[in-house]
Amino acid sequence: MITSLAIKNYALIEDIRVDFHSGLTIITGETGAGKSILLGALGLVLGNRADLKVVKDGQGKCVIEAEFAIADYQLEALFRENDLDYEAHTILRREILPSGKSRAFVNDTPATLQQMQILGERLIDVHSQNETQSLLREHYQMEVVDALANNGQLLASYRDTLEQFKGGTKRLEELVEEKEQAAKELDYHTFLHKELVAAQLEGTDQQDLEEQYEKLNHAEEILMSLGKLRQVLLADDTGSLASVNEARSLITSIRGFSSEYQTLWERLNSVMIELEDISEDVERASEDVDADPVLLEEVNEKLQRLHSLQQKHLVSSVPELIQIEKELAGKIDTSSTIDARIEQLQVEVLTTKKELETHAVQLNKNRTNAVPALKEKLEVFLGELGLPNAQFHFEFNETEEFRSNGNAELEVLFTANKGAKLGPLSRVASGGEMSRIMLAVKA
């Protein structure tokens, strides 16, 4: 429990200290007396954000210090988890400097706001005027029941499984949609793939094909040119070979007289050898040229098919067409295997759903078991608060939907009067009754 609250240089307060004792302490006063200022100051040591405007004197720092007796709170583990020094008599301090910077301390050890908030949640429960309305929310009502049913760990497992279930269900829906889309495109993809397969692209060299086409298409012209070239090279009197051979013979007789003549002879001999090689290559080239109309037509058709496919798929090379062929094969394969993937995912989703249902059943069982004690305690507390005839009924209705806290909806029925019919809490409870019920729940 809180044992004291010291406030210095905060809002209207210059320097005060309030001591608290066990039991009920009530602070009263007219509007503007400063009741909310005390709560605001307390909020700072509980980790709320600081505002420089709350500093009374801008030249000095604002200090809020709260002392707690926590020997019975079993918070040792919480202190260890947050690297804080545990003391049965714990002091939380918050300082706001004139620069606007804020510092926090737990037992004189520097702490972060997050650490202050975590610790503050276990030390103080602040109930505001509007918080009573949360009692009317079904989610809050279920939280109360779950707290008494010790459903915390089970709820965590349920929510993990729910996340898996939702993820699997979403993926299954995407796969089904993908299958429908793939079915629409399968025929077209298959047609395109067959076109590419028929073109026998593997091992095809488009440049070689184009050269072969040019040779076949201009065979007569090529043969005529090569024939004339051979005549130029091989003519008995005026051919290049004959001329070079004669020149070489003329210098043979004098090549021994000078290294210069020897060099000229060697160069003419090299030219002679090169011309003989050229002559042989021209002869072979002539033999390779074949005016074959049938082959020309085949090569032309293959080239036209390649050009057509490249234009259709917006590419410019055979390797790119081969890549598209592989991609189409993958899409066709996906269409054929998607059923198996859907079936496997359906099994996984069904398994997860069964696990989810098991968790939900146990949650509802724990809640049902916890309700009698909750009902009894609430009615006893309300009797002490002037509602001796108060009665509660907790009604759980299972749904097909898996919600964040299970598959059941909770409706709380209430009456404050003896013999009166129970009705929904939100409809039959007055403002005063709601405040007392909230106090009973908090207790």
Side-chain angles (χ1 to χ4, degrees), residues 262-280:
Q262 176 66 28
T263 300
L264 288 172
W265 184 92
E266 289 174 355
R267 289 172 65 187
L268 285 169
N269 190 58
S270 296
V271 171
M272 187 71 185
I273 294 171
E274 181 66 19
L275 286 173
E276 285 174 348
D277 286 343
I278 291 173
S279 177
E280 291 174 1

Side-chain angles (χ1 to χ4, degrees), residues 208-223 288-301 303-304:
D208 284 349
L209 277 176
E210 289 172 347
E211 288 182 4
Q212 187 179 6
Y213 172 78
E214 292 298 328
K215 288 170 67 175
L216 288 167
N217 194 41
H218 300 91
E220 293 182 4
E221 181 182 347
I222 293 171
L223 286 170
D288 287 343
V289 177
D290 186 8
D292 187 341
V294 176
L295 181 58
L296 174 61
E297 183 63 25
E298 289 178 1
V299 173
N300 184 47
E301 285 181 1
L303 278 173
Q304 291 302 318

Side-chain angles (χ1 to χ4, degrees), residues 427-442:
R427 295 182 186 176
V428 302
S430 66
E433 291 165 349
M434 287 293 293
S435 296
R436 298 181 207 190
I437 293 170
M438 176 58 86
L439 178 58
V441 168
K442 294 275 186 179

Side-chain angles (χ1 to χ4, degrees), residues 63-165:
V63 181
I64 314 294
E65 189 172 274
E67 300 181 22
F68 297 86
I70 61 172
D72 298 331
Y73 283 30
Q74 300 177 347
L75 296 179
E76 291 90 340
L78 184 65
F79 273 75
R80 284 196 302 270
E81 290 170 7
N82 288 277
D83 295 323
L84 297 172
D85 295 329
Y86 174 81
E87 297 289 346
H89 182 78
T90 283
I91 300 174
L92 272 59
R93 187 171 79 256
R94 186 80 177 275
E95 298 178 357
I96 305 172
L97 305 180
S99 63
K101 291 185 178 180
S102 168
R103 299 187 300 189
F105 302 87
V106 176
N107 294 327
D108 286 328
T109 300
T112 65
L113 286 189
Q114 185 179 12
Q115 289 172 321
M116 299 286 277
Q117 290 167 0
I118 292 172
L119 189 56
E121 288 175 356
R122 302 292 294 273
L123 297 177
I124 296 285
D125 176 32
V126 179
H127 175 71
S128 63
Q129 292 176 341
N130 296 326
E131 192 181 349
T132 301
Q133 296 302 311
S134 61
L135 265 178
L136 303 178
R137 294 196 294 269
E138 188 253 356
H139 187 79
Y140 181 85
Q141 295 168 355
M142 193 72 86
E143 281 185 347
V144 173
V145 176
D146 282 332
L148 292 173
N150 293 319
N151 272 342
Q153 188 172 351
L154 184 57
L155 267 173
S157 298
Y158 169 86
R159 285 168 181 154
D160 288 342
T161 308
L162 179 61
E163 187 174 347
Q164 295 175 24
F165 176 72

Side-chain angles (χ1 to χ4, degrees), residues 34-80:
K35 303 184 296 297
S36 298
I37 293 178
L38 291 178
L39 286 175
L42 184 59
L44 288 178
V45 295
L46 298 180
N48 291 348
R49 292 287 175 184
D51 186 348
L52 189 58
K53 294 178 182 178
V54 302
V55 179
K56 185 177 188 299
D57 180 2
Q59 302 303 313
K61 66 180 178 181
C62 167
V63 181
I64 314 294
E65 189 172 274
E67 300 181 22
F68 297 86
I70 61 172
D72 298 331
Y73 283 30
Q74 300 177 347
L75 296 179
E76 291 90 340
L78 184 65
F79 273 75
R80 284 196 302 270

